[in-house]
Amino acid sequence: SEMCIRDSEETQIMQMIDQEKRIQRKQVQERLGISQTTSGRILKQMVKKGLIMQRGRGKNTCYVKK
């Protein structure tokens, strides 16, 4: 069921990127009501899967569609 949750979160994140063009981890955290750690982990995994790209570093890190 962990995977199930992850899937719907990935879908929501992709929708956010469609709307905003670029998102930050904090937005994901707030929108999905998940922890900083969890949102960071999901975003990292999405980058690994080639769904999104990471831009910038530290506080300025954002994610865009690949």
Side-chain angles (χ1 to χ4, degrees), residues 2-3 5 7 11-13 15-16 18 21 25 31 37-41 44 47-48 51 53-54 56-57 60 64:
E2 170 91 352
M3 282 310 291
I5 293 168
D7 270 355
T11 304
Q12 280 176 280
I13 291 169
Q15 284 168 350
M16 282 172 68
D18 278 338
K21 300 300 172 229
R25 192 193 58 209
R31 184 83 61 93
T37 318
T38 306
S39 56
R41 193 169 55 226
K44 242 191 212 104
V47 170
K48 243 201 202 128
L51 295 170
M53 285 187 320
Q54 184 177 334
R57 299 189 75 84
N60 300 318
V64 295

Side-chain angles (χ1 to χ4, degrees), residues 2-34:
E2 170 91 352
M3 282 310 291
C4 254
I5 293 168
R6 181 100 354 114
D7 270 355
S8 73
E9 284 171 345
E10 283 185 4
T11 304
Q12 280 176 280
I13 291 169
M14 290 308 282
Q15 284 168 350
M16 282 172 68
I17 291 179
D18 278 338
Q19 287 161 1
E20 320 270 343
K21 300 300 172 229
R22 50 172 30 196
I23 55 164
Q24 290 187 294
R25 192 193 58 209
K26 196 176 191 159
Q27 289 170 282
V28 172
Q29 231 175 287
E30 286 165 6
R31 184 83 61 93
L32 302 188
I34 54 179

